[in-house]
PDB file of all heavy atoms in Angstrom:
ATOM      1  N   ASN A  24      12.705  -3.115  17.693  1.00  0.00           N
ATOM      2  CA  ASN A  24      11.247  -3.099  17.803  1.00  0.00           C
ATOM      3  C   ASN A  24      10.565  -3.629  16.532  1.00  0.00           C
ATOM      4  O   ASN A  24       9.382  -3.371  16.314  1.00  0.00           O
ATOM      5  CB  ASN A  24      10.756  -1.682  18.110  1.00  0.00           C
ATOM      6  CG  ASN A  24      10.978  -1.292  19.553  1.00  0.00           C
ATOM      7  OD1 ASN A  24      10.134  -1.523  20.413  1.00  0.00           O
ATOM      8  ND2 ASN A  24      12.138  -0.697  19.830  1.00  0.00           N
ATOM      9  N   GLY A  34      22.013  14.740   2.618  1.00  0.00           N
ATOM     10  CA  GLY A  34      20.674  15.167   2.253  1.00  0.00           C
ATOM     11  C   GLY A  34      20.285  14.792   0.842  1.00  0.00           C
ATOM     12  O   GLY A  34      19.168  14.330   0.586  1.00  0.00           O
ATOM     13  N   ASP A  52      16.569  14.725   9.690  1.00  0.00           N
ATOM     14  CA  ASP A  52      17.228  15.793  10.443  1.00  0.00           C
ATOM     15  C   ASP A  52      17.168  17.077   9.621  1.00  0.00           C
ATOM     16  O   ASP A  52      17.260  17.029   8.384  1.00  0.00           O
ATOM     17  CB  ASP A  52      18.677  15.403  10.733  1.00  0.00           C
ATOM     18  CG  ASP A  52      19.367  16.398  11.648  1.00  0.00           C
ATOM     19  OD1 ASP A  52      18.669  17.016  12.464  1.00  0.00           O
ATOM     20  OD2 ASP A  52      20.589  16.557  11.532  1.00  0.00           O
ATOM     21  N   PRO A  56      24.072  17.883   5.073  1.00  0.00           N
ATOM     22  CA  PRO A  56      24.926  18.323   3.970  1.00  0.00           C
ATOM     23  C   PRO A  56      24.161  18.354   2.644  1.00  0.00           C
ATOM     24  O   PRO A  56      23.327  17.490   2.390  1.00  0.00           O
ATOM     25  CB  PRO A  56      26.026  17.240   3.928  1.00  0.00           C
ATOM     26  CG  PRO A  56      25.979  16.564   5.261  1.00  0.00           C
ATOM     27  CD  PRO A  56      24.540  16.634   5.695  1.00  0.00           C
ATOM     28  N   PHE A  61      14.407  20.539   5.492  1.00  0.00           N
ATOM     29  CA  PHE A  61      13.214  21.250   5.037  1.00  0.00           C
ATOM     30  C   PHE A  61      12.974  20.991   3.544  1.00  0.00           C
ATOM     31  O   PHE A  61      11.844  20.734   3.120  1.00  0.00           O
ATOM     32  CB  PHE A  61      13.365  22.760   5.269  1.00  0.00           C
ATOM     33  CG  PHE A  61      13.310  23.178   6.703  1.00  0.00           C
ATOM     34  CD1 PHE A  61      14.276  24.031   7.234  1.00  0.00           C
ATOM     35  CD2 PHE A  61      12.295  22.737   7.543  1.00  0.00           C
ATOM     36  CE1 PHE A  61      14.222  24.427   8.557  1.00  0.00           C
ATOM     37  CE2 PHE A  61      12.239  23.128   8.878  1.00  0.00           C
ATOM     38  CZ  PHE A  61      13.212  23.973   9.382  1.00  0.00           C
ATOM     39  N   PRO A 105      15.480   7.568  22.406  1.00  0.00           N
ATOM     40  CA  PRO A 105      15.220   6.690  21.253  1.00  0.00           C
ATOM     41  C   PRO A 105      13.894   5.950  21.389  1.00  0.00           C
ATOM     42  O   PRO A 105      13.217   5.700  20.393  1.00  0.00           O
ATOM     43  CB  PRO A 105      16.406   5.718  21.273  1.00  0.00           C
ATOM     44  CG  PRO A 105      17.499   6.453  21.976  1.00  0.00           C
ATOM     45  CD  PRO A 105      16.802   7.282  23.018  1.00  0.00           C
ATOM     46  N   SER A 106      13.511   5.621  22.611  1.00  0.00           N
ATOM     47  CA  SER A 106      12.232   4.943  22.835  1.00  0.00           C
ATOM     48  C   SER A 106      11.062   5.849  22.456  1.00  0.00           C
ATOM     49  O   SER A 106      10.055   5.383  21.914  1.00  0.00           O
ATOM     50  CB  SER A 106      12.100   4.524  24.306  1.00  0.00           C
ATOM     51  OG  SER A 106      13.094   3.582  24.644  1.00  0.00           O
ATOM     52  N   GLY A 139     -17.563  24.383  -4.946  1.00  0.00           N
ATOM     53  CA  GLY A 139     -16.555  24.056  -5.946  1.00  0.00           C
ATOM     54  C   GLY A 139     -15.507  23.078  -5.450  1.00  0.00           C
ATOM     55  O   GLY A 139     -14.533  22.794  -6.137  1.00  0.00           O
ATOM     56  N   GLU A 162      -3.043  17.409   6.153  1.00  0.00           N
ATOM     57  CA  GLU A 162      -3.945  18.419   5.591  1.00  0.00           C
ATOM     58  C   GLU A 162      -5.173  17.744   4.991  1.00  0.00           C
ATOM     59  O   GLU A 162      -6.304  18.185   5.203  1.00  0.00           O
ATOM     60  CB  GLU A 162      -3.221  19.238   4.522  1.00  0.00           C
ATOM     61  CG  GLU A 162      -2.137  20.148   5.065  1.00  0.00           C
ATOM     62  CD  GLU A 162      -1.300  20.788   3.976  1.00  0.00           C
ATOM     63  OE1 GLU A 162      -1.580  20.548   2.783  1.00  0.00           O
ATOM     64  OE2 GLU A 162      -0.354  21.507   4.323  1.00  0.00           O
ATOM     65  N   LEU A 182      -9.690  18.403  17.408  1.00  0.00           N
ATOM     66  CA  LEU A 182      -9.147  18.100  16.085  1.00  0.00           C
ATOM     67  C   LEU A 182      -7.804  17.389  16.188  1.00  0.00           C
ATOM     68  O   LEU A 182      -7.517  16.476  15.409  1.00  0.00           O
ATOM     69  CB  LEU A 182      -9.016  19.380  15.262  1.00  0.00           C
ATOM     70  CG  LEU A 182     -10.338  20.014  14.817  1.00  0.00           C
ATOM     71  CD1 LEU A 182     -10.092  21.362  14.169  1.00  0.00           C
ATOM     72  CD2 LEU A 182     -11.088  19.099  13.864  1.00  0.00           C
ATOM     73  N   ASP A 211     -10.312  31.211  -1.728  1.00  0.00           N
ATOM     74  CA  ASP A 211     -10.017  32.324  -2.624  1.00  0.00           C
ATOM     75  C   ASP A 211      -9.557  33.541  -1.836  1.00  0.00           C
ATOM     76  O   ASP A 211      -8.682  34.292  -2.262  1.00  0.00           O
ATOM     77  CB  ASP A 211     -11.253  32.693  -3.450  1.00  0.00           C
ATOM     78  CG  ASP A 211     -11.614  31.602  -4.449  1.00  0.00           C
ATOM     79  OD1 ASP A 211     -10.694  30.908  -4.928  1.00  0.00           O
ATOM     80  OD2 ASP A 211     -12.812  31.438  -4.732  1.00  0.00           O
ATOM     81  N   TYR A 218     -14.913  27.932   3.164  1.00  0.00           N
ATOM     82  CA  TYR A 218     -15.099  26.564   3.637  1.00  0.00           C
ATOM     83  C   TYR A 218     -14.820  26.391   5.136  1.00  0.00           C
ATOM     84  O   TYR A 218     -15.664  25.916   5.886  1.00  0.00           O
ATOM     85  CB  TYR A 218     -14.212  25.612   2.834  1.00  0.00           C
ATOM     86  CG  TYR A 218     -14.503  25.624   1.357  1.00  0.00           C
ATOM     87  CD1 TYR A 218     -13.623  26.221   0.450  1.00  0.00           C
ATOM     88  CD2 TYR A 218     -15.662  25.045   0.848  1.00  0.00           C
ATOM     89  CE1 TYR A 218     -13.883  26.234  -0.912  1.00  0.00           C
ATOM     90  CE2 TYR A 218     -15.946  25.061  -0.511  1.00  0.00           C
ATOM     91  CZ  TYR A 218     -15.049  25.652  -1.389  1.00  0.00           C
ATOM     92  OH  TYR A 218     -15.319  25.673  -2.727  1.00  0.00           O
ATOM     93  N   ILE A 219     -13.618  26.738   5.566  1.00  0.00           N
ATOM     94  CA  ILE A 219     -13.230  26.503   6.963  1.00  0.00           C
ATOM     95  C   ILE A 219     -13.307  27.812   7.736  1.00  0.00           C
ATOM     96  O   ILE A 219     -12.533  28.740   7.503  1.00  0.00           O
ATOM     97  CB  ILE A 219     -11.817  25.915   7.050  1.00  0.00           C
ATOM     98  CG1 ILE A 219     -11.745  24.597   6.267  1.00  0.00           C
ATOM     99  CG2 ILE A 219     -11.437  25.668   8.511  1.00  0.00           C
ATOM    100  CD1 ILE A 219     -10.360  23.992   6.215  1.00  0.00           C
TER     101      ILE A 219
END
Side-chain angles (χ1 to χ4, degrees):
N24 284 271
D52 187 29
F61 289 131
S106 297
E162 291 171 2
L182 290 173
D211 292 329
Y218 300 107
I219 302 176

